[in-house]
Amino acid sequence: MPLVNPLPPEHDAETKELADFFNETLGFCPNSILTMQHRPSISKAFIGLNKAVMENQGRVTSALKRMIAWVSSNATGCRYCQAHAIRAAERYGAEQEQLDNIWEYRTHPAFSEAERVALDFSLAASQVPNAVDQQIKDALYAHWNEGEIVEMLGVISLFGYLNRWNDSMGTSIEGGAVESAVQYLGKHGWEKGKHS
């Protein structure tokens, strides 16, 4: 049961208009946004940040950004965000082999070395205490430029917020997200947990 109930999409007209972004990303407006609109300034600011973070400026693809989000959410244990991230990766063109083997990104041949480095960065940056060190930095600079590293950390930080928000709220998970999570993560034990 959620800590705070989501409001109807029509509650705040500006949020509703901005939230159309998520219909492309996920196929629905997330309950997290509908809960944030209890304070519309938060929902609107969050949507703006989300759009800025997910905009592609370099070689960090939309699919890779969503896989970075998944690794971050997996590290923190937020099942709601794990499901949303894998669904968005699917909708943004991640290869089938990558989706099927996301848990094995370090060793599976579907992932390039540059992608592995990005996903290792996500894992290290999402841990408490933070595990980004010189080795992670050196690996990043071998494959990515500073702007691309900023894009990646933007995703990791955005999902740090979402992981805290949705796990604390116990946000009810939407059917489409459940379908993608069961398909790609179910074989590894993914379940809704508190997000029913």
Side-chain angles (χ1 to χ4, degrees), residues 111-176:
F111 296 88
S112 70
E113 189 57 31
E115 289 169 329
R116 286 188 183 99
V117 166
L119 298 174
D120 280 345
F121 176 43
S122 181
L123 181 61
S126 301
Q127 295 176 15
V128 177
N130 188 289
V132 176
D133 58 14
Q134 189 64 46
Q135 183 177 350
I136 295 285
K137 179 180 178 180
D138 292 344
L140 281 168
Y141 275 82
H143 297 278
W144 304 100
N145 67 40
E146 290 182 336
E148 292 163 341
I149 293 167
V150 166
E151 281 188 69
M152 289 181 223
L153 191 53
V155 173
I156 296 161
S157 299
L158 179 74
F159 273 80
Y161 173 87
L162 284 169
N163 295 160
R164 297 270 187 278
W165 181 276
N166 290 304
D167 252 2
S168 297
M169 281 288 178
T171 308
S172 296
I173 194 164
E174 308 81 6

Side-chain angles (χ1 to χ4, degrees), residues 21 24-25 47-63 65-66 92 147-148 150-152 154-155 158:
F21 165 75
E24 176 190 323
T25 306
I47 294 168
L49 178 61
N50 194 314
K51 286 181 175 182
V53 165
M54 291 304 184
E55 183 179 49
N56 299 90
Q57 297 290 321
R59 296 172 299 137
V60 186
T61 66
S62 293
K65 284 185 176 186
R66 275 60 183 198
Y92 275 91
E148 292 163 341
V150 166
E151 281 188 69
M152 289 181 223
V155 173
L158 179 74

Side-chain angles (χ1 to χ4, degrees), residues 27-52:
F28 53 83
C29 180
N31 285 329
S32 55
I33 300 298
L34 300 177
T35 303
M36 287 178 203
Q37 68 177 348
H38 278 275
R39 294 295 181 262
S41 58
I42 294 175
S43 61
K44 290 181 276 196
F46 173 78
I47 294 168
L49 178 61
N50 194 314
K51 286 181 175 182

